[in-house]
Amino acid sequence: MSKLGLIVAIFVFTVSILKPVSSSANQLNSAPNDDVIAGIKALHRAPEKEMARLKTLLDENKSAAKRHEWLYLYALGKEKRGEYDEALSLAESSINDVYASSLMQQRAKLLKAKILSRKGEMQEAISLLNAVKQWSMNYGVIQLNIGVLMTLGAAFENIEESKLALDNYLSAYNLATQFKTQVPPSHIAGLIGTIYLQQSKFQEAKAYLNEAYEFAVEKKNTVNQSNVAEKLARTELGLSNFKTSARFFNLAIKIARKNDDTALLAKALLGKGEMWLAQDDTAEAINTARNLFKEASDLALTLESKTVYFESLIALSRLALSSGDKTRALEKVRLAEEVIANEKLGIPHLETAYLKLSILEAFGNEQDTIDALKQYIELNKVITESLDKSRVQIIRTLYELDEIQAENSDLKAITQLQEEKLTLNQQRSFLLAVITGLFLLLSLLLFLLYIKRARYQRRLERLATTDALTRFYNRAKILELLNAKLETLENSANEFCLAMIDIDFFKSINDNYGHKMGDDALRLFSHIARQIFPDHVDMGRLGGEEFLFIFHKSTERQCVQLLDDFRKLLKPAACNQLSEEISLTFSAGLKEINSPHTTTASLEDADKALYEAKETGRDQTVIFKCL
């Protein structure tokens, strides 16, 4: 499968898993709590001890009924160690074990998908995740659903699709907030805040990272506390809150030193140096930043991952360049080139090439500058062509292939001429190349601004047609859809059903428990409705606790059954999620539309049926019958 095809498949899969499931769900089972959950907790508390215990159990019990559980837990431990091949084999053995329950098979499939995504085998991972997602929704296993969403988020992060990763993390967070599970919302909040930080959306990042930080403090988890503190420090730096940023950087540094966490310590020192430069340009600030960068560089040099070491070298090079020390700047950037020399070409290589170009330009050597420019342009071309991003395809459509080839040919000719002799013609060619590059960059920026504006416009359209609390269509939109359906009916005789729904005694919930509880009741009502009703049902909020549902491909009998299934799920969910004293029920008036009607007449008929349902006992569906 091509890279573009993979992106399309991921997008289609993400859309498909967000569709409401059918009414075949038996019941909500938000958080299974069994021996497997206990084993997972034991792996977190004492991984080496638990792995040794599991190995002993597997070696001594070749046909035990619980062997599939031990295989799953042992595979989980192997995955956390990064031993993916062995973990994959163990997970498959757990799936195929004859004693494995349906839930255990789905757990093992989720683990298998996670391992496959880490190995880069996205197509098979997506297929597995789709199957587990459908199963978890059909059987109401919320915790498993959350696991799928978090696995998807991590997979999308690995291929740098932050928008899709964020969507899945937010869905997981909302489920973890609404239902009590083994996964705390605050853990997911840290993942969400990290992506917002990467996108420079500092206000959003701060809200979620604060939640994750408070949870880590409450649980006295210093490892998580220090990691989140470093991210909060960078967030506060982005908001120019320098005092708060310094406090969090100092906290992260203190805990990292105590825990002997070299990686975090180097990262926090690097961030603190950036903070000093951001708030002041005095000699003291520059000297302090230089010392912090140097300490971070020395620490990161010993780490297996060279990311922080590379970032430290780049920071030192930029600082030297801004201070006028061109020689040191060039020395550091060349060290940075060596660090990433054997890695796959990417943004760090482009960043290094551009910084090197700036340094050589400062030296004033035109020939070296021209060579560096050539290197940067060629590198940019290679990286752009290799990026697994949909935006690359968009950029390529802006300029025809022959134009790109012509520009590359011109560039090569100009470069060859510059290498032979630096003349006035070469200088003009160089200037022309710079102007052309700036023009292309400006064109790209304008196009990206256009895309951003289009996305913003679509978001405004969604806000204008959606009820913020329930995420149903608002009154204007649902009535517009009804009117369009009635107009279609006149031409095609396409019958459909209309249901007007009113939550019973909703005012008493607001009066007795407060408006927040009322809002929670409306959110729960809409959440269960989106799970129960198929995708050919349009759902809208007319106002308050009154709703209008349009069933496009259902008979009266099917509609009544769907509404009854909805009612059966809503009652226990309200008892569990809102209050044991609250019985969340609704009355519905159903009208089958099989002949031309006006919008007003259709609503009046459905309203009459709703009135009858309320007058004759509520918590029921009444079908409108013509006299």
Side-chain angles (χ1 to χ4, degrees), residues 290 317 319-330 359 363:
R290 182 183 296 108
S317 179
L319 184 59
L321 179 61
S322 66
S323 302
D325 191 346
K326 300 185 290 294
T327 301
R328 181 173 293 275
L330 188 59
I359 296 169
F363 271 106

Side-chain angles (χ1 to χ4, degrees), residues 443-487:
S443 300
L444 174 60
L445 289 175
L446 290 175
F447 180 78
L448 293 178
L449 286 174
Y450 170 78
I451 293 296
K452 184 175 182 180
R453 180 180 178 184
R455 290 176 179 172
Y456 181 69
Q457 183 65 31
R458 289 195 295 271
R459 183 182 179 189
L460 288 178
E461 290 174 0
R462 286 196 300 270
L463 291 174
T465 59
T466 305
D467 176 64
L469 184 62
T470 62
R471 290 190 291 166
F472 285 169
Y473 290 126
N474 59 22
R475 180 185 183 90
K477 182 62 177 178
I478 193 65
L479 292 180
E480 177 187 332
L481 293 174
L482 173 59
N483 187 56
K485 188 67 177 175
L486 289 170
E487 291 178 355

Side-chain angles (χ1 to χ4, degrees), residues 512-612:
N512 296 330
Y513 300 95
H515 288 284
K516 184 181 182 302
M517 182 65 78
D519 289 347
D520 290 341
L522 290 172
R523 290 191 188 96
L524 181 61
F525 177 91
S526 63
H527 175 75
I528 301 298
R530 284 191 297 274
Q531 289 185 332
I532 285 294
F533 294 106
D535 56 5
H536 57 262
V537 178
D538 291 331
M539 295 175 282
R541 183 183 181 192
L542 294 177
E545 70 276 17
E546 192 172 25
F547 304 88
L548 184 67
F549 287 9
I550 302 173
F551 296 82
H552 294 280
K553 300 178 182 178
S554 302
T555 63
E556 284 185 346
R557 182 177 180 181
Q558 290 171 334
C559 292
V560 170
Q561 183 61 50
L562 285 171
L563 290 168
D564 286 345
D565 291 343
F566 180 28
R567 191 175 282 108
K568 291 175 184 177
L569 275 181
L570 185 61
K571 291 179 182 179
C575 182
N576 292 333
Q577 303 303 319
L578 300 177
S579 170
E580 294 181 356
E581 300 175 356
I582 294 178
S583 178
L584 193 60
T585 63
F586 64 86
S587 301
L590 187 65
K591 165 69 175 177
E592 183 178 32
I593 310 294
N594 52 21
S595 61
H597 279 68
T598 65
T599 301
T600 302
S602 300
L603 293 174
E604 287 178 352
D605 289 345
D607 190 51
K608 289 176 183 178
L610 172 61
Y611 181 78
E612 182 179 344

Side-chain angles (χ1 to χ4, degrees), residues 266-281:
K267 192 174 182 180
L269 289 168
L270 179 61
K272 187 175 180 181
E274 294 170 355
M275 181 204 67
W276 271 94
L277 291 179
Q279 67 177 328
D280 203 347
D281 59 355

Side-chain angles (χ1 to χ4, degrees), residues 5-36:
L6 177 59
I7 294 296
V8 172
I10 293 171
F11 176 78
V12 171
F13 168 67
T14 304
V15 172
S16 68
I17 64 173
L18 295 178
K19 291 183 179 179
V21 297
S22 67
S23 59
S24 61
N26 296 327
Q27 60 180 353
L28 288 176
N29 184 7
S30 59
N33 192 4
D34 51 18
D35 291 343
V36 174

Side-chain angles (χ1 to χ4, degrees), residues 6-7 10 117 122 152-166 169 195 198-199 343-349 383 386-392:
L6 177 59
I7 294 296
I10 293 171
S117 68
M122 291 296 298
L152 277 169
F156 290 141
E157 277 197 274
N158 288 340
I159 61 173
E160 299 181 8
E161 285 292 340
S162 60
K163 175 63 171 63
L164 293 175
L166 184 60
Y169 284 147
I195 293 184
Q198 293 169 355
Q199 297 176 342
E343 295 184 7
K344 181 180 178 181
L345 289 180
I347 299 302
H349 297 81
I383 292 174
S386 65
L387 281 175
D388 192 11
K389 294 283 190 176
S390 59
R391 67 172 182 270
V392 176

Side-chain angles (χ1 to χ4, degrees), residues 111 143 270 280 308 354 356 492:
L111 177 58
Q143 183 162 296
L270 179 61
D280 203 347
V308 179
Y354 184 80
K356 184 178 178 181
S492 63

